[in-house]
Amino acid sequence: MADTSLAGRRVLAIVTNYGVEQDELVVPVGQLRDSGAEVQVAAVSPDEIRTLVGDKDPGKTVRPDLTLADVDPTAYDLLLVPGGTLNADTLRLQDEALEILRSFTRTGRAVAAICHGPWLLVEAGAVDGRTLTSYPSLRTDIRNAGGTWVDEPVIADTAGDWTLITSRTPDDLGPFVREAKAALVAGTG
């Protein structure tokens, strides 16, 4: 895909305030902003987001733009769900995060989830009949929820009413961001 401006496109990243994998938040947010998209980061609370590297080492802190409770999900074109084991496990227990995700899937807007991020999709009942990838430890959860798990760097499943983009780890951020940009350009995100 040629580098196309994403001006006018809006992306929402949702996370908890501790444990998100640094590069799975910072890299997509930075690259999407550099391409012209407006990206907002919503967290559980207005406190700083403390990222981790490799689920254990302290990473950068990020200031959220708003809280999950303050999000109007209809104002965005694409939902970004970064991983990090602690982040993803806590995020799937947040009613606001589940409702945000369900708003995107009900209205046919794209969702991009990486690493452990698909746990939110499993919790919301959004993987049944879909093909996706993730960190390998989620494969059984995804299969038990009716999804087809594959070991690929990125999967863009467009078979349903909404585009689902998934990747395995920070090593796959290049193809992951490329597919997120493609969904935004195509207007499916």
Side-chain angles (χ1 to χ4, degrees):
M1 178 184 95
D3 200 18
T4 304
S5 174
L6 299 177
R9 305 304 277 166
R10 299 190 75 213
V11 177
L12 175 67
I14 60 173
V15 297
T16 61
N17 292 84
Y18 181 79
V20 65
E21 183 67 29
Q22 173 186 279
D23 287 352
E24 293 173 6
L25 174 63
V26 174
V27 170
V29 167
Q31 289 184 10
L32 291 167
R33 284 178 177 159
D34 288 348
S35 292
E38 178 186 342
V39 183
Q40 291 191 308
V41 178
V44 175
S45 79
D47 301 320
E48 285 187 334
I49 299 161
R50 308 212 27 95
T51 71
L52 295 176
V53 176
D55 274 339
K56 62 184 182 326
D57 297 322
K60 297 177 181 177
T61 57
V62 175
R63 172 70 50 197
D65 299 297
L66 66 168
T67 66
L68 296 176
D70 293 331
V71 168
D72 172 6
T74 64
Y76 301 92
D77 304 299
L78 181 133
L79 178 63
L80 173 64
V81 186
T85 308
L86 296 172
N87 170 68
D89 193 41
T90 304
L91 190 64
R92 68 182 173 159
L93 300 176
Q94 304 298 315
D95 290 337
E96 293 94 349
L98 291 164
E99 279 310 308
I100 290 166
L101 173 65
R102 289 179 181 127
S103 173
F104 275 80
T105 62
R106 275 193 308 265
T107 57
R109 290 171 290 140
V111 175
I114 187 167
C115 197
H116 287 80
W119 259 341
L120 183 66
L121 295 150
V122 169
E123 191 69 30
V127 301
D128 190 25
R130 306 306 295 259
T131 299
L132 61 156
T133 193
S134 67
Y135 192 78
S137 65
L138 275 66
R139 106 181 113 234
T140 300
D141 296 334
I142 289 167
R143 288 176 179 153
N144 287 342
T148 299
W149 187 87
V150 295
D151 187 12
E152 297 288 335
V154 67
I155 297 294
D157 181 330
T158 58
D161 295 338
W162 52 281
T163 298
L164 174 58
I165 301 156
T166 52
S167 278
R168 301 172 299 193
T169 70
D171 293 338
D172 301 321
L173 280 165
F176 178 69
V177 174
R178 182 190 71 233
E179 290 296 333
K181 288 179 179 181
L184 286 165
V185 168
T188 60

